[in-house]
mmCIF file of all heavy atoms in Angstrom:
data_model
loop_
_atom_site.group_PDB
_atom_site.id
_atom_site.type_symbol
_atom_site.label_atom_id
_atom_site.label_comp_id
_atom_site.label_asym_id
_atom_site.label_seq_id
_atom_site.Cartn_x
_atom_site.Cartn_y
_atom_site.Cartn_z
ATOM 1 N N MET T 114 0.825 -1.168 -0.001
ATOM 2 C CA MET T 114 0.005 -0.013 0.007
ATOM 3 C C MET T 114 0.812 1.247 0.012
ATOM 4 O O MET T 114 2.063 1.199 0.172
ATOM 5 C CB MET T 114 -0.918 -0.028 1.203
ATOM 6 C CG MET T 114 -0.316 0.138 2.548
ATOM 7 S SD MET T 114 -1.383 -0.111 3.928
ATOM 8 C CE MET T 114 -1.346 -1.865 4.122
ATOM 9 N N VAL T 115 0.189 2.375 -0.261
ATOM 10 C CA VAL T 115 0.917 3.590 -0.277
ATOM 11 C C VAL T 115 0.060 4.643 0.595
ATOM 12 O O VAL T 115 -1.097 4.559 0.628
ATOM 13 C CB VAL T 115 1.096 4.136 -1.662
ATOM 14 C CG1 VAL T 115 -0.171 4.421 -2.374
ATOM 15 C CG2 VAL T 115 1.955 5.297 -1.765
ATOM 16 N N VAL T 116 0.840 5.484 1.260
ATOM 17 C CA VAL T 116 0.208 6.571 2.024
ATOM 18 C C VAL T 116 0.389 7.756 1.180
ATOM 19 O O VAL T 116 1.548 8.059 0.693
ATOM 20 C CB VAL T 116 0.923 6.723 3.393
ATOM 21 C CG1 VAL T 116 0.287 7.966 4.201
ATOM 22 C CG2 VAL T 116 0.746 5.453 4.214
ATOM 23 N N LEU T 117 -0.652 8.629 0.881
ATOM 24 C CA LEU T 117 -0.696 9.699 0.030
ATOM 25 C C LEU T 117 -0.664 11.059 0.654
ATOM 26 O O LEU T 117 -1.169 11.112 1.826
ATOM 27 C CB LEU T 117 -1.926 9.561 -0.968
ATOM 28 C CG LEU T 117 -2.001 8.238 -1.672
ATOM 29 C CD1 LEU T 117 -3.238 8.257 -2.531
ATOM 30 C CD2 LEU T 117 -0.762 8.016 -2.552
ATOM 31 N N ASP T 118 -0.283 12.024 -0.082
ATOM 32 C CA ASP T 118 -0.243 13.390 0.631
ATOM 33 C C ASP T 118 -1.564 14.128 0.536
ATOM 34 O O ASP T 118 -1.761 15.179 1.092
ATOM 35 C CB ASP T 118 0.842 14.265 -0.072
ATOM 36 C CG ASP T 118 0.542 14.496 -1.561
ATOM 37 O OD1 ASP T 118 -0.302 13.981 -2.167
ATOM 38 O OD2 ASP T 118 1.281 15.432 -2.088
ATOM 39 N N ARG T 119 -2.589 13.459 -0.072
ATOM 40 C CA ARG T 119 -3.887 14.008 -0.215
ATOM 41 C C ARG T 119 -4.883 12.864 -0.488
ATOM 42 O O ARG T 119 -4.455 11.810 -0.963
ATOM 43 C CB ARG T 119 -4.009 15.131 -1.216
ATOM 44 C CG ARG T 119 -3.573 14.716 -2.551
ATOM 45 C CD ARG T 119 -3.289 15.969 -3.495
ATOM 46 N NE ARG T 119 -1.870 16.196 -3.451
ATOM 47 C CZ ARG T 119 -1.327 17.158 -4.182
ATOM 48 N NH1 ARG T 119 -2.066 17.937 -4.903
ATOM 49 N NH2 ARG T 119 -0.089 17.416 -4.101
ATOM 50 N N ASP T 120 -6.195 13.126 -0.297
ATOM 51 C CA ASP T 120 -7.207 12.102 -0.460
ATOM 52 C C ASP T 120 -7.637 12.104 -1.950
ATOM 53 O O ASP T 120 -8.341 13.026 -2.402
ATOM 54 C CB ASP T 120 -8.342 12.503 0.382
ATOM 55 C CG ASP T 120 -9.499 11.437 0.424
ATOM 56 O OD1 ASP T 120 -9.503 10.495 -0.539
ATOM 57 O OD2 ASP T 120 -10.350 11.518 1.282
ATOM 58 N N TYR T 121 -7.257 11.047 -2.582
ATOM 59 C CA TYR T 121 -7.551 10.807 -4.012
ATOM 60 C C TYR T 121 -9.041 10.969 -4.343
ATOM 61 O O TYR T 121 -9.353 11.447 -5.370
ATOM 62 C CB TYR T 121 -7.050 9.436 -4.361
ATOM 63 C CG TYR T 121 -7.610 8.907 -5.704
ATOM 64 C CD1 TYR T 121 -7.105 9.304 -6.947
ATOM 65 C CD2 TYR T 121 -8.523 7.824 -5.724
ATOM 66 C CE1 TYR T 121 -7.594 8.841 -8.101
ATOM 67 C CE2 TYR T 121 -8.930 7.322 -6.837
ATOM 68 C CZ TYR T 121 -8.587 7.751 -8.128
ATOM 69 O OH TYR T 121 -9.009 7.317 -9.233
ATOM 70 N N PHE T 122 -9.900 10.533 -3.394
ATOM 71 C CA PHE T 122 -11.303 10.517 -3.646
ATOM 72 C C PHE T 122 -12.011 11.905 -3.509
ATOM 73 O O PHE T 122 -13.128 12.013 -3.977
ATOM 74 C CB PHE T 122 -12.035 9.462 -2.695
ATOM 75 C CG PHE T 122 -11.647 8.085 -3.107
ATOM 76 C CD1 PHE T 122 -10.803 7.285 -2.335
ATOM 77 C CD2 PHE T 122 -12.158 7.469 -4.241
ATOM 78 C CE1 PHE T 122 -10.460 6.034 -2.669
ATOM 79 C CE2 PHE T 122 -11.891 6.210 -4.602
ATOM 80 C CZ PHE T 122 -10.938 5.478 -3.830
ATOM 81 N N THR T 123 -11.374 12.847 -2.742
ATOM 82 C CA THR T 123 -12.115 14.055 -2.482
ATOM 83 C C THR T 123 -11.371 15.281 -3.040
ATOM 84 O O THR T 123 -12.072 16.365 -3.116
ATOM 85 C CB THR T 123 -12.186 14.322 -0.945
ATOM 86 O OG1 THR T 123 -10.942 14.420 -0.328
ATOM 87 C CG2 THR T 123 -13.013 13.178 -0.282
ATOM 88 N N ILE T 124 -10.130 15.206 -3.517
ATOM 89 C CA ILE T 124 -9.565 16.380 -4.107
ATOM 90 C C ILE T 124 -10.143 16.755 -5.406
ATOM 91 O O ILE T 124 -10.752 15.852 -6.016
ATOM 92 C CB ILE T 124 -7.966 16.172 -4.264
ATOM 93 C CG1 ILE T 124 -7.693 15.003 -5.195
ATOM 94 C CG2 ILE T 124 -7.313 16.027 -2.882
ATOM 95 C CD1 ILE T 124 -6.220 14.804 -5.536
ATOM 96 N N PRO T 125 -9.958 18.024 -5.869
ATOM 97 C CA PRO T 125 -10.443 18.327 -7.213
ATOM 98 C C PRO T 125 -9.730 17.395 -8.183
ATOM 99 O O PRO T 125 -8.551 17.083 -8.059
ATOM 100 C CB PRO T 125 -9.979 19.762 -7.401
ATOM 101 C CG PRO T 125 -9.875 20.286 -6.005
ATOM 102 C CD PRO T 125 -9.395 19.133 -5.171
ATOM 103 N N ALA T 126 -10.418 17.072 -9.251
ATOM 104 C CA ALA T 126 -9.862 16.043 -10.271
ATOM 105 C C ALA T 126 -8.505 16.614 -10.774
ATOM 106 O O ALA T 126 -7.669 15.825 -11.132
ATOM 107 C CB ALA T 126 -10.910 15.808 -11.318
ATOM 108 N N GLU T 127 -8.352 17.896 -10.981
ATOM 109 C CA GLU T 127 -7.170 18.497 -11.541
ATOM 110 C C GLU T 127 -5.935 18.196 -10.744
ATOM 111 O O GLU T 127 -4.820 18.261 -11.195
ATOM 112 C CB GLU T 127 -7.268 20.035 -11.774
ATOM 113 C CG GLU T 127 -8.205 20.397 -12.917
ATOM 114 C CD GLU T 127 -7.794 19.825 -14.194
ATOM 115 O OE1 GLU T 127 -6.541 19.859 -14.539
ATOM 116 O OE2 GLU T 127 -8.625 19.292 -14.946
ATOM 117 N N GLN T 128 -6.148 17.848 -9.421
ATOM 118 C CA GLN T 128 -4.978 17.558 -8.511
ATOM 119 C C GLN T 128 -4.597 16.075 -8.503
ATOM 120 O O GLN T 128 -3.527 15.704 -7.997
ATOM 121 C CB GLN T 128 -5.363 17.983 -7.121
ATOM 122 C CG GLN T 128 -5.484 19.473 -6.899
ATOM 123 C CD GLN T 128 -5.700 19.738 -5.462
ATOM 124 O OE1 GLN T 128 -5.458 18.977 -4.546
ATOM 125 N NE2 GLN T 128 -6.278 20.984 -5.165
ATOM 126 N N ILE T 129 -5.373 15.226 -9.056
ATOM 127 C CA ILE T 129 -5.030 13.783 -9.137
ATOM 128 C C ILE T 129 -3.615 13.567 -9.660
ATOM 129 O O ILE T 129 -2.815 12.768 -9.092
ATOM 130 C CB ILE T 129 -6.068 12.961 -9.880
ATOM 131 C CG1 ILE T 129 -7.427 12.974 -9.181
ATOM 132 C CG2 ILE T 129 -5.583 11.489 -10.072
ATOM 133 C CD1 ILE T 129 -8.583 12.355 -9.929
ATOM 134 N N LYS T 130 -3.237 14.185 -10.812
ATOM 135 C CA LYS T 130 -1.978 13.985 -11.386
ATOM 136 C C LYS T 130 -0.838 14.444 -10.521
ATOM 137 O O LYS T 130 0.349 14.069 -10.692
ATOM 138 C CB LYS T 130 -1.960 14.682 -12.788
ATOM 139 C CG LYS T 130 -1.991 16.175 -12.641
ATOM 140 C CD LYS T 130 -2.184 16.799 -14.129
ATOM 141 C CE LYS T 130 -2.192 18.341 -14.030
ATOM 142 N NZ LYS T 130 -3.062 18.928 -13.020
ATOM 143 N N ASP T 131 -1.115 15.232 -9.488
ATOM 144 C CA ASP T 131 -0.089 15.829 -8.614
ATOM 145 C C ASP T 131 0.095 15.093 -7.280
ATOM 146 O O ASP T 131 0.867 15.501 -6.501
ATOM 147 C CB ASP T 131 -0.362 17.271 -8.314
ATOM 148 C CG ASP T 131 -0.539 18.077 -9.634
ATOM 149 O OD1 ASP T 131 0.283 17.945 -10.574
ATOM 150 O OD2 ASP T 131 -1.495 18.856 -9.694
ATOM 151 N N ILE T 132 -0.610 13.996 -7.082
ATOM 152 C CA ILE T 132 -0.586 13.238 -5.798
ATOM 153 C C ILE T 132 0.860 12.747 -5.673
ATOM 154 O O ILE T 132 1.518 12.300 -6.640
ATOM 155 C CB ILE T 132 -1.533 12.112 -5.853
ATOM 156 C CG1 ILE T 132 -2.958 12.636 -5.721
ATOM 157 C CG2 ILE T 132 -1.215 11.099 -4.669
ATOM 158 C CD1 ILE T 132 -4.072 11.572 -5.850
ATOM 159 N N LYS T 133 1.311 12.733 -4.462
ATOM 160 C CA LYS T 133 2.704 12.259 -4.125
ATOM 161 C C LYS T 133 2.577 11.240 -3.017
ATOM 162 O O LYS T 133 1.730 11.188 -2.161
ATOM 163 C CB LYS T 133 3.646 13.334 -3.611
ATOM 164 C CG LYS T 133 3.767 14.509 -4.622
ATOM 165 C CD LYS T 133 4.826 14.148 -5.689
ATOM 166 C CE LYS T 133 5.034 15.354 -6.549
ATOM 167 N NZ LYS T 133 4.450 15.321 -7.823
ATOM 168 N N ALA T 134 3.534 10.180 -3.072
ATOM 169 C CA ALA T 134 3.577 9.200 -1.964
ATOM 170 C C ALA T 134 4.348 9.814 -0.765
ATOM 171 O O ALA T 134 5.389 10.372 -0.923
ATOM 172 C CB ALA T 134 4.277 7.912 -2.525
ATOM 173 N N VAL T 135 3.693 9.612 0.438
ATOM 174 C CA VAL T 135 4.424 10.011 1.652
ATOM 175 C C VAL T 135 5.113 8.750 2.220
ATOM 176 O O VAL T 135 6.131 8.904 2.774
ATOM 177 C CB VAL T 135 3.319 10.471 2.694
ATOM 178 C CG1 VAL T 135 3.916 10.690 4.046
ATOM 179 C CG2 VAL T 135 2.637 11.670 2.169
ATOM 180 N N ALA T 136 4.588 7.558 1.946
ATOM 181 C CA ALA T 136 5.252 6.319 2.438
ATOM 182 C C ALA T 136 4.647 5.195 1.519
ATOM 183 O O ALA T 136 3.571 5.152 1.053
ATOM 184 C CB ALA T 136 4.953 5.997 3.889
ATOM 185 N N THR T 137 5.563 4.136 1.332
ATOM 186 C CA THR T 137 5.147 3.037 0.566
ATOM 187 C C THR T 137 5.528 1.754 1.432
ATOM 188 O O THR T 137 6.589 1.656 1.983
ATOM 189 C CB THR T 137 5.978 2.993 -0.743
ATOM 190 O OG1 THR T 137 5.708 4.115 -1.494
ATOM 191 C CG2 THR T 137 5.563 1.710 -1.564
ATOM 192 N N ILE T 138 4.520 0.829 1.507
ATOM 193 C CA ILE T 138 4.721 -0.313 2.291
ATOM 194 C C ILE T 138 4.575 -1.523 1.296
ATOM 195 O O ILE T 138 3.551 -1.591 0.521
ATOM 196 C CB ILE T 138 3.608 -0.451 3.349
ATOM 197 C CG1 ILE T 138 3.773 0.755 4.294
ATOM 198 C CG2 ILE T 138 3.737 -1.718 4.118
ATOM 199 C CD1 ILE T 138 2.614 1.085 5.189
ATOM 200 N N VAL T 139 5.523 -2.441 1.306
ATOM 201 C CA VAL T 139 5.452 -3.635 0.439
ATOM 202 C C VAL T 139 5.619 -4.823 1.378
ATOM 203 O O VAL T 139 6.533 -4.978 2.055
ATOM 204 C CB VAL T 139 6.653 -3.540 -0.562
ATOM 205 C CG1 VAL T 139 6.636 -4.893 -1.428
ATOM 206 C CG2 VAL T 139 6.507 -2.295 -1.506
ATOM 207 N N ASP T 140 4.706 -5.767 1.167
ATOM 208 C CA ASP T 140 4.627 -6.934 1.937
ATOM 209 C C ASP T 140 4.725 -6.658 3.422
ATOM 210 O O ASP T 140 5.464 -7.326 4.243
ATOM 211 C CB ASP T 140 5.793 -7.948 1.534
ATOM 212 C CG ASP T 140 5.545 -9.326 2.038
ATOM 213 O OD1 ASP T 140 4.433 -9.642 2.582
ATOM 214 O OD2 ASP T 140 6.406 -10.230 2.015
ATOM 215 N N GLY T 141 4.065 -5.591 3.902
ATOM 216 C CA GLY T 141 4.024 -5.227 5.309
ATOM 217 C C GLY T 141 5.229 -4.481 5.827
ATOM 218 O O GLY T 141 5.348 -4.132 7.013
ATOM 219 N N ARG T 142 6.267 -4.214 4.982
ATOM 220 C CA ARG T 142 7.409 -3.431 5.402
ATOM 221 C C ARG T 142 7.448 -2.106 4.659
ATOM 222 O O ARG T 142 7.325 -2.002 3.504
ATOM 223 C CB ARG T 142 8.720 -4.232 5.065
ATOM 224 C CG ARG T 142 8.865 -5.439 5.888
ATOM 225 C CD ARG T 142 10.004 -6.218 5.312
ATOM 226 N NE ARG T 142 9.875 -6.075 3.833
ATOM 227 C CZ ARG T 142 10.762 -6.636 2.942
ATOM 228 N NH1 ARG T 142 11.828 -7.198 3.306
ATOM 229 N NH2 ARG T 142 10.583 -6.422 1.720
ATOM 230 N N LYS T 143 7.763 -0.998 5.424
ATOM 231 C CA LYS T 143 7.886 0.321 4.921
ATOM 232 C C LYS T 143 9.213 0.358 4.067
ATOM 233 O O LYS T 143 10.285 0.038 4.587
ATOM 234 C CB LYS T 143 8.009 1.374 5.973
ATOM 235 C CG LYS T 143 7.919 2.804 5.431
ATOM 236 C CD LYS T 143 8.073 3.860 6.522
ATOM 237 C CE LYS T 143 6.672 3.909 7.244
ATOM 238 N NZ LYS T 143 6.665 4.893 8.240
ATOM 239 N N VAL T 144 9.149 0.662 2.813
ATOM 240 C CA VAL T 144 10.263 0.601 1.940
ATOM 241 C C VAL T 144 10.570 1.999 1.441
ATOM 242 O O VAL T 144 11.602 2.255 0.782
ATOM 243 C CB VAL T 144 10.043 -0.355 0.667
ATOM 244 C CG1 VAL T 144 9.998 -1.783 1.186
ATOM 245 C CG2 VAL T 144 8.816 0.073 -0.101
ATOM 246 N N TYR T 145 9.680 3.015 1.665
ATOM 247 C CA TYR T 145 9.880 4.360 1.332
ATOM 248 C C TYR T 145 9.116 5.333 2.229
ATOM 249 O O TYR T 145 8.049 4.983 2.686
ATOM 250 C CB TYR T 145 9.381 4.638 -0.124
ATOM 251 C CG TYR T 145 9.362 6.068 -0.461
ATOM 252 C CD1 TYR T 145 10.576 6.693 -0.839
ATOM 253 C CD2 TYR T 145 8.204 6.858 -0.438
ATOM 254 C CE1 TYR T 145 10.482 8.149 -1.090
ATOM 255 C CE2 TYR T 145 8.213 8.220 -0.709
ATOM 256 C CZ TYR T 145 9.320 8.869 -1.062
ATOM 257 O OH TYR T 145 9.363 10.156 -1.408
#
């Protein structure tokens, strides 16, 4: 999973392309 800097479902559509990852978890381990 990924933790995002904003809510994909509620932000204006124009902001979707600008979403950034705050953290990335792979197989239960934080890798970023």
